[in-house]
Amino acid sequence: MFTSPLIAAPMAGGTTTAELALAVQGAGAFAFAAGGYRTAEQLAAHIAPLRAAGKDFGVNLFVPRTEPLAPGQAAGLARYRAELASDAARHGAGVPDVELSQDDPRVQDYWTEKIALLLEDPVAVVSFTFGLAPAGVVAQLQRAGTKVLASVTSVPEAVAAAATGVDALVVQHDGAGGHTAAFLAPDGGGFSTLPELVAAIHARVALPLVGAGGVCGPAEAKAALAAGACAVAIGTALIRTDESGARALHKDALGDPAFTETAMTRAFTGKPARALVNSFVRDHAATAPAAYPEVHFLTAPLRAAASAAQDREMLNLWAGTGWRSARPGPAAAVVEGFLREL
Ligand SMILES: Cc1cc2nc3c(=O)[nH]c(=O)nc-3n(C[C@H](O)[C@H](O)[C@H](O)COP(=O)(O)O)c2cc1C
């Protein structure tokens, strides 16, 4: 299914650019485009250079939540809005009122239009995160000639994903940078390493597995492959590269020894995501409500203002546990460094 044992993970929010995807492709990795947060038109524009290049690539989409926010979460959102007012004021930003209805296109992440686009003009691979695509959508994509992947973080999620008929699974360990793909409540069977998680899922589900999360060098990649993965995906290792669209503040923070740890936090978007621990994480990790994507839109102006003011203490500095190995320079050099040893 993949032309390489190394995959460039999709990184929405600006990090995965077409330039990054083309650079990793050119160096021999399989590239994913990042469809999350984009409208169908924006996605079409993002992948146009990849279509033109003529090689197989994947598109990643967010699966929207299926239920409206519970009343308790809506109340938590109002409280969080008040809590963030002083942070936002520091850089002259406001905190918008973001009561979004369940059918708001931002809550749906433009799902219907993007699926229509991918059915009309299919790509080789589509992967989903944040939940399971309905079996009917999986089958439609497959009929269009697309291989479909679901992202999972546990054995129960892998079993549920397999039941929707997908072709393969992205097995994401907790050490991954950015948002967790988790869509079921934790079952208490957490695995401390990616190879352990891959092996446990390999023993239960007969599908090809892509290992992801904390793969910061060839040794980690080889261990995941030895545990049963057919490929490994890297995200954080590419954030600092020349072609990555991450902010310079983010790239520099990953190389700054002043940052000493990462943590899973809902503070920026309402969904757990792994980031470097800065003031914003310290101040709000305990109080942010489980309200995604509302919190994402609530904090967006504050983050934009912090970025303009060069204030990295209020930015979402997504980072996996292997962040210290991320290097600046051409993305091709990172890919070649892995492929030389795989
Ligand atoms: C900045 C950033 C953005 C991400 N965005 C997405 C995304 O849009 N879709 C997705 O499925 N995973 C996303 N992820 C997770 C990656 O696909 C992948 O699982 C993860 O980066 C692997 O772990 P690593 O960062 O330790 O290499 C993102 C990760 C990062 C670091």
Side-chain angles (χ1 to χ4, degrees):
M1 178 177 324
F2 297 111
T3 42
S4 171
L6 189 70
I7 294 175
M11 294 187 281
T15 301
T16 295
T17 56
E19 293 71 26
L20 178 59
L22 289 169
V24 300
Q25 257 190 359
F30 186 90
F32 267 90
Y37 302 126
R38 291 191 153 100
T39 64
E41 293 71 31
Q42 289 166 342
L43 175 59
H46 175 54
I47 62 178
L50 286 157
R51 289 195 194 277
K55 288 189 188 160
D56 282 356
F57 65 95
V59 169
N60 173 255
L61 295 187
F62 297 167
V63 179
R65 70 176 188 226
T66 51
E67 300 289 333
L69 276 193
Q73 289 164 337
L77 202 57
R79 187 192 34 70
Y80 197 46
R81 189 169 169 238
E83 178 179 319
L84 296 183
S86 60
D87 276 321
R90 205 175 309 155
H91 297 304
V95 189
D97 187 1
V98 284
E99 265 187 46
L100 304 180
S101 66
Q102 177 61 12
D103 58 2
D104 188 293
R106 289 169 292 172
V107 171
Q108 293 302 315
D109 200 42
Y110 318 100
W111 171 264
T112 309
E113 300 83 341
K114 287 190 282 199
I115 295 294
L117 172 79
L118 295 171
L119 288 174
E120 233 164 72
D121 203 355
V123 295
V125 178
V126 168
S127 74
F128 294 105
T129 189
F130 301 168
L132 297 179
V137 171
V138 172
Q140 276 182 304
L141 288 165
Q142 288 168 331
R143 277 197 296 274
T146 298
K147 297 285 185 201
V148 182
L149 275 65
S151 305
V152 302
T153 64
S154 66
V155 173
E157 287 184 353
V159 170
T164 66
V166 294
D167 299 288
L169 302 177
V170 178
V171 175
Q172 189 199 52
H173 185 258
D174 173 65
H179 287 112
T180 174
F183 56 91
L184 295 179
D187 64 344
F191 293 90
S192 57
T193 68
L194 174 62
E196 284 169 9
L197 177 62
V198 167
I201 292 178
H202 190 53
R204 282 291 299 279
V205 177
L207 286 175
L209 306 178
V210 175
V215 176
C216 55
E220 290 77 18
K222 279 195 223 175
L225 295 173
C230 68
V232 291
I234 54 170
T236 300
L238 294 167
I239 296 178
R240 297 183 72 197
T241 60
D242 298 342
E243 297 87 349
S244 146
R247 294 177 170 109
L249 279 177
H250 187 179
K251 292 182 176 183
D252 293 346
L254 287 170
D256 188 337
F259 289 98
T260 57
E261 57 179 334
T262 65
M264 275 286 192
T265 179
R266 294 184 195 277
F268 296 104
T269 68
K271 185 187 279 297
R274 189 170 289 283
L276 291 177
V277 174
N278 59 8
S279 307
F280 196 86
V281 174
R282 276 190 290 272
D283 293 348
H284 305 296
T287 48
Y292 178 89
E294 280 81 352
V295 175
H296 167 81
F297 292 108
L298 193 81
T299 64
L302 177 159
R303 287 181 280 129
S307 174
Q310 299 291 303
D311 179 1
R312 64 187 189 175
E313 292 301 317
M314 281 168 61
L315 282 183
N316 50 317
L317 305 170
W318 299 149
T321 49
W323 92 97
R324 285 201 195 282
S325 304
R327 294 278 173 273
V334 174
V335 168
E336 284 156 11
F338 274 89
L339 288 181
R340 216 174 290 129
E341 297 194 39
L342 291 185

